[in-house]
Amino acid sequence: MLRRAVALALPLLALSVRAQDDDALDALRRPERLTVAINDQFLGQLSRDEQTLYFVSNQDTRKEIFAQDDEGRAHRVFDEAADVTWPRVSPDGKRLLYISFSDQASGRLCVRTLPDGEDRRCLDDAPAALQAEWIDDKRIALIERTSIDGNLRVSELNADLKPRVLSAHNWTNPAISPDARWLIYVPVDRTDSHVGPGFAARTLGRLEAMPLAGGPSTQIGIDLPGMSGQPAFSRDGKFLYFVQFFSDSNHDGQVDAGDHGVLFRVPFREPGKLAEESPLQLTDSSWNCQYPAPSTTKLVATCSRGRDLDVYELPLDGQVPSSWTRDRLRTELGLGGRREEVLLLYRQALLRAPDQAFRRLITMRLVMAHLELEEFDAAAFYADKVAALKLPETRGIGRPLQVWVEQRRARADRERGRMLDSFADDARARLERLVDKEKDSPAARVLNRVVASEIRDALGDKSGARRELESADLSGELPRSVIESYYERADAFFRSLDEREPLIALARGLATRSDLKEDVQLDYARAAAKHIVRGLSQEEALAAVDRERASATGELAFALDLTREVLTIKKGKPEPAVRERMIALYEAQPRADRQRAIILEAVQQASELGANWVIECLAERYIHDVPLGTEERRRAERLYKRALMGRAFRHMSKGRSEEARLDFDAVYRETEALEALVESISLRISNQTTAIENIESEVAPGSGEQSATAHFAHAYL
């Protein structure tokens, strides 16, 4: 998508220096790590008063249960002298159940009292215990294996740990509703009749529910691609949290629990009605998060962004605040970001879609985003969704989308050494399905040509790929998503041939389309300007811009004016005329998207040339024009911080300590960056400009003795 492609350069606002915490770049919340130790910490769960976190750790070789207080101090709860796992705190917070491998190598259910774990009771003469969950303060649901080759079963244990079989089916991951009415589980299927499901089984990729009072099970329909698992109820029973496995992230040929997990929640009323509810995505897929454990105020989960596991927390409504409006989501999407974050924001936008046309736009973008990530099952899922919308202006569009997914999947398989013999024949068969049908809408006909062009290109037929693109009729009113798809395909094709003129003509035409909004026209205008100057010397580029500018209007005229000013930026000392023209251009813009474009283009060029003076003068204006609490504000703060702290250190290197201190003070005032405050305090001390006892009041004027700044200054001093 053009908007995302243009926005990919936004991290350049941080200059070439990477921050120690890249997550500060945007306004999305981040899972916050609770456990800090070597090796793995996992299966976290908060106590009822939320003051203690219980989790499993293998930091001392064995898997043991630890408790961590709200100040981060952790200790082992008890010594089992063997591996333990699956800790679950009782609803009254007085007991902890777990699976012990001390006296029974296959696993044994045990219960200990809290907080010290001294009183220990275990289930005697029982089958192997796999997982368990509290039904209420006196009852436990236990998943057990009757024999090494036998099926799983679910039993209910009373206060005396006496079992009663609830079900003899192969189920796993039990979750009990707080009112003790429902058992939610994941059904599993044996993969070998001679090997028990505890060793050879696969989940069926869905959730099911069984009434604890008795009755038939109900399959839970969740409107998402991939596999669902690991259900958990909110404390009030209003939501069901679960993990969704979207794609084959480990490239083993199948989507399963070995892939990245994404956390979701869905409103819970009755199991049969869950298909009517819209699941809310809580984490983006760059986080591998599993085993959600919601408390009253926060969500705890086991997450990994590398090799080690740790316990993290995040708000109950996830990374995207539930208070964000559709307009706020649109703004954040316009700024781009990591592809996984864009997918998260698209799904959030889909929940807030005001009409079918907007739903179609977002769903098609989901198709393309998943294709880009090679998440083909998810892309196919959303392609089917587009086909099901049945809007007259996109009648027939589902077919080329589905063919597109098949083509990209086949291409990925070929690149991994599969389907080498049948690729060409299958691709030609797909081409035959892209013949326009009588009832196809103009949008479907254009998309037929786009997909056909990509297939012919993959077959080595460059002439045919060009003919497909040139035969597409773009004259009528088309959905924006179709225009985006056409442009991206044309961009990839003509760049591969190193042909600039077709791209200039296409982007120029799209920049002046009356059926596109101004901000979208601006994206294409900027793209046109880039194509015009690409590969030219500065003198040639300026001449080309001037020729194009003579007849340009609207967004294209602005993009060319901006390109011309950016081309005049040179390495070295400040050029007053260039700076004044750049500032004048910035201040003359009534729209935030134009101001953002100026910042992006100028900073990118200045960063490459080392023209710090451009970055400094724009950063000081930009930070005051961006709303607080937005992703753009975070990036503006990053730009401001890097620009002014760089200038401050240059001042220090030249002995101008007072100018440096003023810059450090400005950075802290605008961004609250503590490193700037430290440098400011250090300069005050080294220059002896302020008495030690007065520094606190000077760096935090009027904030009072209890302010965070005053406390930090006091601690640092």
Side-chain angles (χ1 to χ4, degrees):
M1 286 144 283
L2 177 69
R3 176 172 295 278
R4 194 193 67 77
V6 170
L8 280 177
L10 275 171
L12 287 166
L13 295 181
L15 310 185
S16 60
V17 183
R18 300 301 299 170
Q20 66 270 26
D21 180 10
D22 288 333
D23 291 341
L25 274 173
D26 53 42
L28 288 175
R29 299 156 167 168
R30 291 283 174 258
E32 181 178 345
R33 190 166 65 176
L34 298 177
T35 54
V36 181
I38 59 174
N39 298 331
D40 296 323
Q41 286 69 232
F42 50 97
L43 293 175
Q45 187 179 47
L46 284 168
S47 61
R48 292 290 147 167
D49 61 5
E50 302 192 5
Q51 299 301 304
T52 305
L53 173 70
Y54 294 95
F55 60 93
V56 178
S57 174
N58 62 3
Q59 67 183 44
D60 297 322
T61 305
R62 289 197 307 258
K63 296 182 179 69
E64 299 176 291
I65 296 175
F66 280 72
Q68 179 174 295
D69 62 25
D70 57 359
E71 294 185 358
R73 295 185 294 258
H75 67 277
R76 187 173 55 197
V77 180
F78 54 84
D79 186 1
E80 191 82 357
D83 282 342
V84 296
T85 190
W86 208 258
R88 292 292 186 270
V89 181
S90 62
D92 61 10
K94 296 180 179 180
R95 286 169 296 166
L96 182 76
L97 70 77
Y98 62 98
I99 307 297
S100 170
F101 299 92
S102 174
D103 305 317
Q104 187 170 311
S106 57
R108 185 183 185 197
L109 177 69
C110 295
V111 177
R112 287 184 183 256
T113 56
L114 292 176
D116 52 25
E118 290 185 359
D119 183 15
R120 175 179 182 267
R121 298 175 62 201
C122 295
L123 184 61
D124 296 323
D125 301 323
L130 301 181
Q131 298 168 337
E133 195 68 56
W134 292 97
I135 297 174
D136 53 35
D137 292 332
K138 297 180 180 180
R139 295 182 296 161
I140 296 171
L142 172 65
I143 304 288
E144 54 189 357
R145 186 180 67 245
T146 56
S147 65
I148 194 168
D149 59 351
N151 286 327
L152 307 181
R153 73 183 187 193
V154 185
S155 296
E156 177 188 316
L157 309 180
N158 60 20
D160 297 323
L161 298 185
K162 299 296 183 182
R164 176 176 71 90
V165 175
L166 292 176
S167 171
H169 295 87
N170 290 318
W171 297 345
T172 187
N173 289 121
I176 311 296
S177 61
D179 59 8
R181 290 183 58 203
W182 296 101
L183 166 65
I184 310 294
Y185 58 87
V186 179
V188 298
D189 187 25
R190 299 176 67 127
T191 58
D192 191 315
S193 60
H194 302 292
V195 181
F199 299 94
R202 61 174 179 268
T203 71
L204 298 182
R206 64 174 186 265
L207 304 180
E208 293 185 359
M210 183 190 78
L212 282 170
S217 293
T218 303
Q219 183 172 325
I220 295 175
I222 294 178
D223 193 24
L224 287 172
M227 298 176 57
S228 303
Q230 302 172 17
F233 278 96
S234 61
R235 291 276 175 89
D236 58 9
K238 293 181 179 180
F239 294 96
L240 182 68
Y241 290 78
F242 61 96
V243 178
Q244 194 73 9
F245 301 97
F246 278 113
S247 64
D248 180 20
S249 59
N250 61 5
H251 303 296
D252 64 354
Q254 58 187 352
V255 177
D256 54 25
D259 296 307
H260 269 209
V262 179
L263 300 184
F264 277 82
R265 79 175 187 189
V266 64
F268 185 85
R269 293 177 293 170
E270 297 289 336
K273 297 181 179 180
L274 281 183
E276 304 170 9
E277 304 289 354
S278 297
L280 177 70
Q281 184 174 344
L282 306 177
T283 58
D284 71 68
S285 58
S286 68
W287 293 85
N288 180 13
C289 289
Q290 301 188 35
Y291 297 105
S295 70
T296 304
T297 62
K298 62 190 71 173
L299 175 63
V300 170
T302 302
C303 300
S304 170
R305 296 198 80 179
R307 297 182 60 183
D308 294 335
L309 300 174
D310 273 295
V311 179
Y312 288 76
E313 71 171 17
L314 67 160
L316 290 171
D317 57 353
Q319 289 184 237
V320 179
S322 56
S323 59
W324 280 15
T325 63
R326 183 164 51 89
D327 288 340
R328 174 65 185 274
L329 282 170
R330 183 172 178 271
T331 299
E332 301 296 336
L333 277 167
L335 292 170
R338 290 198 298 261
R339 290 177 294 181
E340 295 85 358
E341 292 177 350
V342 169
L343 276 170
L344 169 63
L345 292 172
Y346 279 154
R347 281 196 193 60
Q348 295 276 339
L350 196 60
L351 295 180
R352 297 162 171 80
D355 51 45
Q356 292 285 71
F358 187 80
R359 179 175 293 276
R360 177 189 59 209
L361 170 66
I362 297 301
T363 308
M364 280 197 64
R365 285 183 170 176
L366 280 167
V367 173
M368 302 312 300
H370 280 296
L371 278 180
E372 192 172 351
L373 290 169
E374 295 192 352
E375 296 174 351
F376 302 115
D377 289 341
F381 175 88
Y382 287 109
D384 292 343
K385 289 289 184 183
V386 175
L389 288 176
K390 304 296 183 185
L391 295 173
E393 60 269 30
T394 51
R395 185 186 296 112
I397 205 171
R399 186 177 68 261
L401 281 177
Q402 291 157 345
V403 171
W404 211 350
V405 174
E406 294 172 17
Q407 172 66 19
R408 291 282 183 94
R409 191 196 298 270
R411 188 182 71 182
D413 286 341
R414 182 182 63 171
E415 290 171 353
R416 296 189 179 105
R418 309 179 193 130
M419 295 181 62
L420 293 175
D421 297 330
S422 62
F423 177 81
D425 291 339
D426 293 343
R428 293 187 185 96
R430 284 188 284 272
L431 275 175
E432 294 177 2
R433 293 162 56 193
L434 294 172
V435 175
D436 295 340
K437 296 187 177 181
E438 182 180 353
K439 293 185 178 180
D440 279 353
S441 63
R445 293 170 185 269
V446 170
L447 202 59
N448 279 338
R449 305 283 69 75
V450 169
V451 180
S453 174
E454 181 170 316
I455 294 176
R456 291 190 185 280
D457 199 5
L459 291 171
D461 182 7
K462 294 290 185 181
S463 297
R466 182 192 295 270
R467 284 197 306 273
E468 296 287 359
L469 284 175
E470 292 176 347
S471 64
D473 183 5
L474 303 180
S475 60
E477 187 170 337
L478 295 170
R480 196 165 111 203
S481 52
V482 173
I483 294 174
E484 290 172 352
S485 298
Y486 182 90
Y487 179 83
E488 287 194 358
R489 173 62 203 144
D491 184 64
F493 177 72
F494 288 113
R495 277 179 182 272
S496 71
L497 299 177
D498 196 25
E499 293 186 20
R500 103 179 41 245
E501 291 305 323
L503 282 175
I504 294 173
L506 175 60
R508 182 196 295 125
L510 295 177
T512 57
R513 280 184 73 111
S514 59
D515 57 336
L516 296 178
K517 294 182 179 179
E518 287 180 332
D519 60 334
V520 181
Q521 291 176 344
L522 176 58
D523 287 339
Y524 289 115
R526 289 172 59 196
K530 290 182 185 301
H531 293 315
I532 289 168
V533 302
R534 179 163 49 89
L536 302 180
S537 66
Q538 184 188 48
E539 183 178 348
E540 292 170 332
L542 288 171
V545 167
D546 289 341
R547 286 194 299 272
E548 186 75 25
R549 181 64 178 86
S551 59
T553 59
E555 303 305 314
L556 184 57
F558 165 76
L560 292 167
D561 289 342
L562 171 58
T563 300
R564 193 179 211 295
E565 295 304 328
V566 167
L567 287 171
T568 62
I569 297 174
K570 296 180 180 179
K571 184 177 181 180
K573 295 181 179 180
E575 299 182 37
V578 175
R579 179 169 53 190
E580 289 170 8
R581 289 198 305 271
M582 189 69 69
I583 293 172
L585 182 63
Y586 177 87
E587 293 180 343
Q589 306 312 315
R591 296 192 343 242
D593 60 326
R594 282 192 172 189
Q595 291 182 333
R596 190 182 307 129
I598 294 170
I599 296 294
L600 176 61
E601 303 283 357
V603 168
Q604 182 175 356
Q605 178 80 345
S607 298
E608 293 173 357
L609 297 176
N612 296 315
W613 53 274
V614 174
I615 301 169
E616 292 158 10
C617 73
L618 289 175
E620 291 180 285
R621 284 160 176 79
Y622 186 47
I623 197 169
H624 297 123
D625 292 335
V626 180
L628 292 169
T630 63
E631 179 178 348
E632 188 172 9
R633 172 70 185 198
R634 299 285 182 91
R635 290 175 170 175
E637 288 179 1
R638 173 65 66 82
L639 172 64
Y640 184 84
K641 173 183 167 184
R642 293 297 174 188
L644 265 70
M645 287 195 70
R647 187 172 70 185
F649 284 120
R650 290 195 297 274
H651 284 323
M652 288 177 62
S653 69
K654 297 176 182 178
R656 298 197 291 263
S657 58
E658 183 59 20
E659 287 113 318
R661 184 185 63 77
L662 291 173
D663 279 341
F664 287 132
D665 286 345
V667 171
Y668 179 73
R669 186 169 57 250
E670 294 293 347
T671 71
E672 297 185 352
L674 293 179
E675 57 265 49
L677 182 60
V678 165
E679 296 295 342
S680 175
I681 293 173
S682 298
L683 281 174
R684 285 177 164 87
I685 294 173
S686 61
N687 295 337
Q688 298 181 345
T689 57
T690 307
I692 295 292
E693 59 270 18
N694 295 330
I695 287 180
E696 291 177 39
S697 60
E698 186 170 302
V699 298
S703 58
E705 295 182 357
Q706 300 304 313
S707 75
T709 303
H711 278 304
F712 180 85
H714 181 76
Y716 181 73
L717 288 167

